[in-house]
C-alpha cells in the first residue's frame, strides 16, 4: 500500500466514525422510552426492592445478626467482629461498610 492509500483509508475510517457518533444510538434510546411505560416502571421498582432485600440479607449474614436486629445489636455485633479481626484493616473496613449499608437501607425503608 502506498502512503496516499493509507492516508485515504485512515481519513475514510475517521469520517465513518464521526458519522456513527452523530447518529442516535437506537439501543440506548429505545429502552429509555420503554422504561417510562407504567408496567415497566412498576417492574423496575419490584426489581430494585428485591435487589435491596437480597443485599440486606447478605449484609446481615456477614455481621451474623437477625434481619430485625436493633441498632444496639448491630453495633454490638460490629464491635465484636472488629475485636475478633484485630489489626486487619481490610476486614475492619469491610465490617464497617456492611454496618453502614445496613443503616442506609433501613433509613431508605423508613423514608419510603
Amino acid at each position: 500500500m502506498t502512503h496516499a492509500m493509507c492516508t485515504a483509508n485512515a481519513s475514510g475510517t475517521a469520517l465513518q466514525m464521526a458519522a456513527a457518533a452523530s447518529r442516535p444510538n437506537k439501543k440506548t434510546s429505545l429502552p429509555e422510552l420503554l422504561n417510562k411505560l407504567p408496567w415497566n416502571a412498576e417492574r423496575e421498582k419490584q426489581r430494585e426492592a428485591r435487589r435491596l432485600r437480597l443485599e440486606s440479607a447478605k449484609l446481615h449474614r456477614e455481621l451474623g445478626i437477625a434481619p430485625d436486629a436493633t441498632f444496639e445489636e448491630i453495633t454490638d455485633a460490629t464491635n465484636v467482629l472488629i475485636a475478633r479481626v484485630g489489626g486487619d484493616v481490610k476486614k475492619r473496613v469491610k465490617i464497617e461498610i456492611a454496618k453502614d449499608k445496613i443503616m442506609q437501607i433501613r433509613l431508605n425503608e423508613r423514608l419510603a
Side-chain angles (χ1 to χ4, degrees):
M1 252 196 214
T2 65
H3 178 68
M5 290 175 72
C6 288
T7 307
N9 190 14
S11 65
T13 305
L15 290 175
Q16 290 171 349
M17 289 173 58
S22 67
R23 278 186 255 137
N25 190 350
K26 290 184 181 181
K27 289 184 179 181
T28 58
S29 61
L30 186 59
E32 290 172 9
L33 294 174
L34 293 177
N35 285 338
K36 293 179 183 177
L37 294 173
W39 52 88
N40 288 340
E42 182 63 31
R43 191 176 301 151
E44 188 59 35
K45 281 183 186 177
Q46 291 171 351
R47 280 189 198 123
E48 182 65 17
R50 181 174 186 271
R51 186 189 66 77
L52 286 175
R53 278 194 314 272
L54 291 174
E55 182 181 3
S56 178
K58 177 184 154 218
L59 295 169
H60 282 88
R61 280 192 307 269
E62 283 181 16
L63 294 182
I65 56 175
D68 60 344
T70 64
F71 175 79
E72 290 80 18
E73 292 171 337
I74 294 171
T75 305
D76 292 342
T78 303
N79 292 337
V80 167
L81 289 174
I82 287 174
R84 194 178 295 166
V85 297
D88 191 350
V89 177
K90 286 184 181 182
K91 288 183 181 178
R92 183 180 182 149
V93 168
K94 187 176 180 181
I95 293 167
E96 292 285 342
I97 289 173
K99 175 189 164 202
D100 291 343
K101 283 184 178 181
I102 288 173
M103 295 300 177
Q104 185 65 44
I105 289 171
R106 288 186 177 200
L107 177 64
N108 290 341
E109 287 173 352
R110 274 189 252 133
L111 293 176

